[in-house]
């Protein structure tokens, strides 16, 4: 099974900060990597797919990069509505999620 | 606009089988993969498995012996059955749509339904 490890597990940041979350796969997954945002009490929302592609409607301050085993989600300027938990997910084999990264207000 | 709605008992007794339904409205279940994902209280997301409209399935290896997912195209519904439940199966259960070809991503989610396992 492919394991997904996110870091950090949580972080505190201020509005306007640049935030970076990393996701590492236990084996190469090419660009079979998605990112989701989940707010408290809500279903997850697709944020990035195929490692770097933004779905329609997702703000351009969100970006994704990486291939193989190492991936990054970047929020260029954190906004109040971005405080949430972020999950990576591999779709190379099965559909495993990372353990999540909680972004909190500093 | 496609919408998903999970439904089923909110309380299940230990050792029994959890059964949930996901109703798809605003679109067909054809040509997609339909997933079940769960989230225990205060924890992360766990993918349980998916089914295609033709009935082809794939399951999380850690739960494969207990999970059955099926699709009913006539009703535009998906179902989840999880057998021999314990308190560790207490979670919010979501259904989600995924494309059937690369790039695979879950773009439509239900709101989730809470299931508690308790006697």
């Amino acid at each position: 099974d492919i394991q997904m490890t996110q870091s950090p597990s949580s972080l505190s940041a201020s509005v306007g900060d640049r935030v970076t979350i990393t996701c590492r796969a236990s084996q190469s997954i090419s660009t079979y990597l998605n990112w989701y945002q989940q707010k408290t009490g809500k279903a997850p929302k697709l944020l990035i797919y195929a490692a770097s592609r933004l779905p329609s409607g997702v703000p351009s301050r969100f970006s994704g990069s990486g291939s193989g085993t190492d991936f990054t989600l970047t929020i260029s300027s954190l906004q109040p509505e971005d405080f949430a938990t972020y999950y990576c997910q591999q779709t190379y084999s099965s559909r495993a999620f990372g353990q999540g990264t909680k972004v909190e207000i500093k | 606009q496609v919408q998903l709605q999970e439904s089923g008992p909110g309380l299940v007794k230990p050792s029994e089988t959890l059964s949930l339904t996901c109703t798809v409205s605003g679109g067909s279940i054809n040509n997609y993969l339909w997933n079940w994902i769960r989230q225990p209280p205060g924890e992360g997301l766990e993918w349980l498995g998916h089914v295609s409209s033709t009935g082809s399935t794939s399951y999380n290896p850690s739960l494969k012996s207990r999970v059955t997912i099926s699709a009913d195209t006539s009703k535009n519904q998906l179902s989840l059955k999880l057998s021999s439940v314990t308190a560790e199966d207490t979670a919010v259960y979501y259904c989600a749509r995924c494309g059937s070809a690369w790039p695979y991503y879950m773009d439509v989610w239900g709101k989730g339904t809470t299931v508690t396992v308790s006697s």
Side-chain angles (χ1 to χ4, degrees), chain B residues 4-88:
Chain B
L4 310 183
Q5 178 68 60
E6 304 90 348
S7 60
L11 182 64
V12 180
K13 289 182 168 57
S15 80
E16 295 190 343
T17 295
L18 178 161
S19 295
L20 297 176
T21 297
C22 174
T23 300
V24 180
S25 59
S28 169
I29 69 170
N30 293 330
N31 302 316
Y32 288 97
L33 298 175
W34 300 91
N35 298 260
W36 285 97
I37 301 100
R38 71 180 181 180
Q39 185 170 38
E43 297 185 23
L45 302 169
E46 180 179 32
W47 178 75
L48 302 181
H50 68 224
V51 63
S52 72
S53 56
T54 62
S56 175
T57 56
S58 178
Y59 298 125
N60 184 326
S62 68
L63 293 164
K64 188 174 183 177
S65 63
R66 297 199 292 131
V67 175
T68 302
I69 298 174
S70 59
D72 185 334
T73 55
S74 66
K75 296 181 178 179
N76 241 27
Q77 289 180 335
L78 308 313
S79 72
L80 167 71
K81 294 187 186 300
L82 181 65
S83 63
S84 305
V85 297
T86 69
E88 292 187 345

Side-chain angles (χ1 to χ4, degrees), chain A residues 32 34 36 38 43 87 89 94, chain B residues 39 47 94 102 104 106 110:
Chain A
Y32 287 69
N34 304 321
Y36 299 86
Q38 186 181 32
Y87 294 92
Q89 179 207 29
S94 192
Chain B
Q39 185 170 38
W47 178 75
Y94 296 99
W102 187 89
Y104 303 100
M106 298 176 188

Side-chain angles (χ1 to χ4, degrees), chain A residues 40-84:
Chain A
T40 303
K42 301 293 187 181
K45 170 191 170 184
L46 179 67
L47 205 58
I48 300 280
Y49 67 95
S52 61
R53 302 185 186 186
L54 257 66
S56 174
V58 172
S60 59
R61 63 181 180 272
F62 293 97
S63 64
S65 65
S67 67
T69 60
D70 294 317
F71 301 86
T72 299
L73 171 69
T74 299
I75 309 172
S76 60
S77 178
L78 196 66
Q79 298 301 300
E81 59 268 32
D82 301 336
F83 292 95

